[in-house]
């Protein structure tokens, strides 16, 4: 009997503006881990879950929109911390809706405990779900939830 070899799932992790400064940026709110350290933890978790994890960060809305478009046909799901664009960007929301890839939204801080303007997310209504307030664990839990969703729904 021939064995069916399936390609492992692939997940795109997108980090939005100012997250390149993690480690030095308001550590009381965002913690002391750098973005590279967070990415390494995500890659390690990806290995445990047997999924490929690709990470990218940009401070530019259009670059993030392009990355979401490019994900089509390459990745099966998106994990996104859109940073401040969460609260402002209809373009990012429309891009995610356009490619129709299952997406999980994450935040290091608990956005609902903070300023009023952070309480609204343009992305949440079109995401599978949102995890907020657990530091780097928001990303890890988000990746686990996304992979579980993909395995149950694909
Ligand atoms: C953030 C929360 C946003 O409100 C903020 O603009 C960020 C980071 C978080 O991970 O907690 O840049 O997305």
């Amino acid at each position: 009997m021939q064995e069916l070899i399936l390609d492992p799932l692939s997940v795109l992790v997108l980090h939005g503006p100012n997250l390149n400064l993690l480690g030095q940026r308001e550590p009381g709110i965002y913690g002391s881990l750098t973005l590279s350290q967070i990415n390494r933890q995500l890659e390690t978790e990806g290995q445990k879950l047997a999924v490929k994890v690709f990470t990218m960060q940009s401070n530019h809305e259009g670059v993030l929109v392009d990355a979401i478009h490019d994900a089509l046909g390459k990745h099966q799901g998106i994990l996104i911390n859109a940073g401040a664009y969460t609260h402002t960007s209809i373009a990012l929301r429309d891009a995610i809706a356009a490619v129709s890839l299952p997406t999980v939204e994450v935040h290091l801080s608990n956005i609902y405990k903070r300023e009023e303007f952070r309480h609204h997310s343009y992305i949440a209504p079109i995401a599978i779900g949102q995890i907020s307030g657990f530091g780097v664990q928001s990303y890890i839990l988000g990746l686990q939830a996304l992979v579980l969703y993909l395995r149950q729904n694909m």
Side-chain angles (χ1 to χ4, degrees):
M1 228 189 6
Q2 227 183 357
E3 208 185 324
L4 185 64
I5 299 170
L6 294 171
D7 261 354
L9 288 175
S10 179
V11 169
L12 177 64
V13 180
L14 287 177
H15 307 281
N18 302 307
L19 295 170
N20 54 311
L21 295 183
L22 287 176
Q24 66 187 74
R25 176 191 179 201
E26 300 184 88
I29 296 174
Y30 299 117
S32 55
L33 290 180
T34 64
L35 192 61
S36 312
Q37 289 170 326
I38 291 175
N39 284 340
R40 244 175 282 135
Q41 289 201 29
L42 282 166
E43 278 151 17
T44 304
E45 188 62 28
Q47 281 166 9
K48 286 187 203 154
L49 295 168
V51 296
K52 289 191 272 183
V53 172
F54 290 84
T55 59
M56 82 156 266
Q57 187 275 334
S58 178
N59 294 321
H60 304 279
E61 192 175 17
V63 172
L64 293 165
V65 168
D66 285 343
I68 292 165
H69 294 178
D70 288 347
L72 208 51
K74 292 188 192 141
H75 306 287
Q76 285 72 49
I78 297 174
L79 184 71
I80 185 165
N81 181 353
Y85 287 145
T86 305
H87 320 298
T88 63
S89 180
I90 299 170
L92 279 185
R93 174 205 176 115
D94 283 355
I96 293 166
V99 298
S100 204
L101 286 170
T103 296
V104 172
E105 173 183 347
V106 297
H107 300 283
L108 294 156
S109 63
N110 179 350
I111 56 175
Y112 302 100
K113 250 188 175 177
R114 301 182 60 197
E115 302 94 326
E116 188 95 28
F117 64 83
R118 295 184 204 276
H119 297 181
H120 177 259
S121 165
Y122 277 104
I123 294 167
I126 50 123
I128 305 166
Q130 183 199 67
I131 300 172
S132 170
F134 296 96
V136 65
Q137 286 306 315
S138 292
Y139 282 95
I140 302 295
L141 292 167
L143 181 62
Q144 291 171 349
L146 178 59
V147 170
L148 195 66
Y149 178 91
L150 293 174
R151 295 231 157 97
Q152 286 176 344
N153 292 279
M154 289 188 63

